[in-house]
Each structure stands twice: as C-alpha cells, then as structure tokens.
Amino acid sequence: MSNEFNGKTAIISGAAGGIGLALAEALGQQGMNIVMGDIDIQALAVSRQALLDKGINVLACELDVTDYKQWQDVVSRAKEAYGKVHMVVNNAGVGGIPGKIEDTEHATWRWVMDVNVMGVLYGAQACVPAIKEHSEGGWVINVASMAGMLGMPYAGAYCASKAAVVSMTESWAVELAPHNIHVSALCPAFVKTRIHESHRNRQEKYAVAPTERQDKKKLQAGANAAALAVESGIPVNVLAERVLEALASKQTYIYTHPNYRKVTSGRSKAIDKAFVDAQESPVVGHLIDEEIVTF
Ligand SMILES: NC(=O)c1ccc[n+]([C@@H]2O[C@H](COP(=O)([O-])OP(=O)(O)OC[C@H]3O[C@@H](n4cnc5c(N)ncnc54)[C@H](O)[C@@H]3O)[C@@H](O)[C@H]2O)c1
C-alpha cells in the first residue's frame, strides 16, 4: 500500500467507540499500526477484536487521559510493539452536563476540563517527544468541536474546554511545523455517537457532593435535548473519511459540517467590528500605528 500513513503508528485516545474507533479503523485501513487507549476496558476489548478481524495491527491499552503516568506507559508500550510513534489523536472527551451557570457543579467543570483539556495536553506531552525522536515527521490531531468556535448557552464548560483545544492546536501548529509535525483541530458539529452518555465513564474523583447536585428534572430536560441533537448527527464513518481527505491537504482546522459557516462567520464579524470600535476610540485608537508583537 503506498500512502503517507502506511507502516506508521498512531496512538488514539478514547478509541473504544464513537469517533475514536471510526478514526482507528480508517487509519488502520491505510496501513497504520493502531494503539487504542480508553478508560472503558470492556468496550476496548470488543473494539480491539473488531479491528483485528479487519486485519488491522492493534495494541489496546487501558488509558484514563487525566493520568499522565498512564499516557507515558501507553507511549512506552507503543514503542515496544511498533518501534516508533508518528501520530497522536487526542480524541477522548466528555460532553459534561448541560445546565445554567449557577447549576453546574464545580466537580462537573473539573471533570470536563481535566478530560477535554488536560487529557489533550498530557497526550501531546507524552507523544510529541516520541514523534520528534525520529526524523520522519508526524501528526497531532486534536478532537475539538464546533463548540470550540462559538459559545453556547448552558454548555459553558464544554465550550470552554473545546476553545482551549482549538487554541492549543493553533499554538502547537506553529511550534511543531519546523519538526515536520502537522497539527490539526477537528471541529465537528453533531456526530452520532454516545457523547450524550459521557457520564457512563465519569471517574469517582469527579463525583458530585450531594449538596451540589443539580435538580433531577432540570438534568433530564438538558439530557433529552443533547440526546436528540447527537442522534441527528452525521455517521462516524463519514467523519473519518472527511478527516483522511483533510489530512491529505494538511488543513489546520478540519470541518465536517459546512452549514455551520454562517454561525462562525457571524462571530468573526462581531470580533472584527469590535476592532473597528477600538480604532475609533479616543483612548486607544492611536495604537493602530504601533508595531505588532508576535512570536
Ligand atoms: N459526537 C459529537 O457530536 C461530537 C461533536 C464534536 C466533538 N466531539 C468530540 O469527539 C470526541 C469523541 O467523542 P464521541 O462523540 O465519539 O463520544 P463517545 O462517548 O461515543 O466516545 C468517547 C470515548 O472516550 C472515552 N473516554 C471518556 N473519558 C475518558 C477518559 N478519561 N480517558 C480515556 N477515554 C475516555 C469513552 O470511553 C469513549 O470510548 C470527544 O472529544 C468529543 O468532545 C463529539
């Protein structure tokens, strides 16, 4: 098989189901060795077997992305099995619990930020040195979301976490370009997975104190709305095909829902308009003539 992925190794977090599993299968079919990590070891065993049955080289590792030590172990095991690491797909993520600002527990914020933000950071910190070790280059693919491109009511924690992932991607894309490591943020809108049931894998350390717990009725209403939206999403195999297509043209932002352009362009226009207001300001308008500092 002649393509840029064949014979290389990808580590994919949250690969036991949903988007992670679809990407594992698509990349495996391109000839990559797949190292799948997930917190859900039962689902992981089933998915590992499904990939093996399709003739894909697979190593399955228990991985809670909020534990840096576990990430380091996965990288060691990947190198032992396949020699080198070329790609990390920071996919594991949780949807949190939709709710008002005052109703969303601190433990829920910590869970969402730890899995969705620290999990991505730990994945990069553990894998990037292994990718730099050889001179073949590679990829860091961070699974963000359309939620990282715009704020949404009742989803502050999820949107904040995904905006952080977009921002880390933009920073790392510039930092890692000289190493021939391509960095992308995958930003889907709704995809048909089990993201609305993320609480199934919520770790004990993020348990909510009874005094903090949200009203059950409000919780159910938010959960129903999220389930409906996710159920109407695109199939995971379409998303995976789109990712391969976008990687071939080395895009930094990978979109899967072109119909959301009108939403993000509204945001871009509002940001641009705020610059015009600042330019016209008697207080700061003169700064327009000063040099721009970048790194
Ligand atoms: N489904 C959507 O509509 C949608 C849209 C945009 C972005 N995303 C993002 O896609 C990614 C994958 O989600 P999905 O939709 O496939 O959901 P999913 O719930 O079907 O799959 C998530 C996987 O991550 C695993 N996981 C959860 N917590 C983990 C942890 N601490 N450590 C390791 N693994 C863990 C789960 O066991 C599961 O296998 C997430 O980052 C999500 O935010 C999803």
Side-chain angles (χ1 to χ4, degrees):
M1 199 184 293
S2 157
N3 66 53
E4 59 177 334
F5 304 112
N6 191 24
K8 295 183 177 169
T9 300
I11 299 180
I12 307 175
S13 68
I19 292 172
L21 178 58
L23 290 175
E25 184 176 338
L27 292 164
Q29 278 165 346
Q30 295 297 307
M32 288 193 98
N33 305 310
I34 302 298
V35 181
M36 36 183 353
D38 206 286
I39 198 171
D40 183 340
I41 51 171
Q42 271 94 26
L44 189 62
V46 174
S47 299
R48 170 185 171 272
Q49 192 56 52
L51 294 189
L52 283 175
D53 291 347
K54 290 183 169 138
I56 293 169
N57 288 336
V58 186
L59 172 70
C61 305
E62 182 173 3
L63 170 68
D64 176 348
V65 293
T66 68
D67 184 335
Y68 184 53
K69 172 80 181 55
Q70 289 188 30
W71 264 112
Q72 289 177 305
D73 290 346
V74 170
V75 173
S76 300
R77 289 186 60 195
K79 288 208 287 192
E80 251 170 57
Y82 301 120
K84 294 174 186 168
V85 174
H86 301 85
M87 177 187 287
V88 57
V89 184
N90 280 309
N91 163 74
V94 292
I97 313 276
K100 285 186 188 169
I101 298 165
E102 60 272 33
D103 290 341
T104 307
E105 307 93 354
H106 295 171
T108 296
W109 265 90
R110 276 194 294 273
W111 172 47
V112 172
M113 298 308 275
D114 276 2
V115 177
N116 294 5
V117 182
M118 297 310 288
V120 171
L121 168 69
Y122 292 158
Q125 282 189 329
C127 297
V128 167
I131 303 175
K132 281 182 180 172
E133 247 166 45
H134 50 75
S135 52
E136 295 164 24
W139 300 263
V140 175
I141 303 172
N142 296 325
V143 181
S145 169
M146 196 44 65
M149 296 286 174
L150 51 119
M152 291 189 300
Y154 312 113
Y158 187 69
C159 291
S161 73
K162 295 301 183 177
V165 175
V166 171
S167 193
M168 290 191 288
T169 303
E170 291 170 338
S171 303
W172 298 345
V174 180
E175 182 178 329
L176 295 178
H179 300 273
N180 195 22
I181 301 175
H182 177 70
V183 189
S184 304
L186 170 61
C187 300
F190 293 108
V191 186
K192 204 169 159 109
T193 67
R194 293 185 68 197
I195 189 79
H196 54 297
E197 296 168 349
S198 297
H199 53 82
R200 71 192 187 280
N201 293 314
R202 184 166 172 152
Q203 307 93 310
E204 195 51 43
K205 63 183 172 179
Y206 303 111
V208 175
T211 46
E212 262 202 301
R213 195 157 285 147
Q214 277 193 47
D215 177 312
K216 277 224 166 86
K217 255 199 216 148
K218 284 186 198 160
L219 271 178
Q220 200 49 53
N224 292 347
L228 268 179
V230 172
E231 289 294 326
S232 71
I234 63 169
V236 286
N237 61 319
V238 172
L239 174 136
E241 202 180 327
R242 169 70 189 133
V243 170
L244 288 186
E245 177 188 63
L247 284 180
S249 54
K250 299 229 179 297
Q251 298 176 16
T252 302
Y253 309 101
I254 304 179
Y255 289 137
T256 54
H257 292 69
N259 49 332
Y260 276 72
R261 185 178 181 185
K262 49 182 178 285
V263 185
T264 57
S265 71
R267 179 179 191 256
S268 305
K269 278 185 200 145
I271 291 171
D272 203 50
K273 162 86 173 54
F275 273 117
V276 174
D277 288 352
Q279 277 168 25
E280 289 167 358
S281 153
V283 182
V284 293
H286 64 282
L287 294 178
I288 197 168
D289 296 327
E290 291 193 7
E291 213 177 299
I292 293 171
V293 180
T294 55
F295 294 97

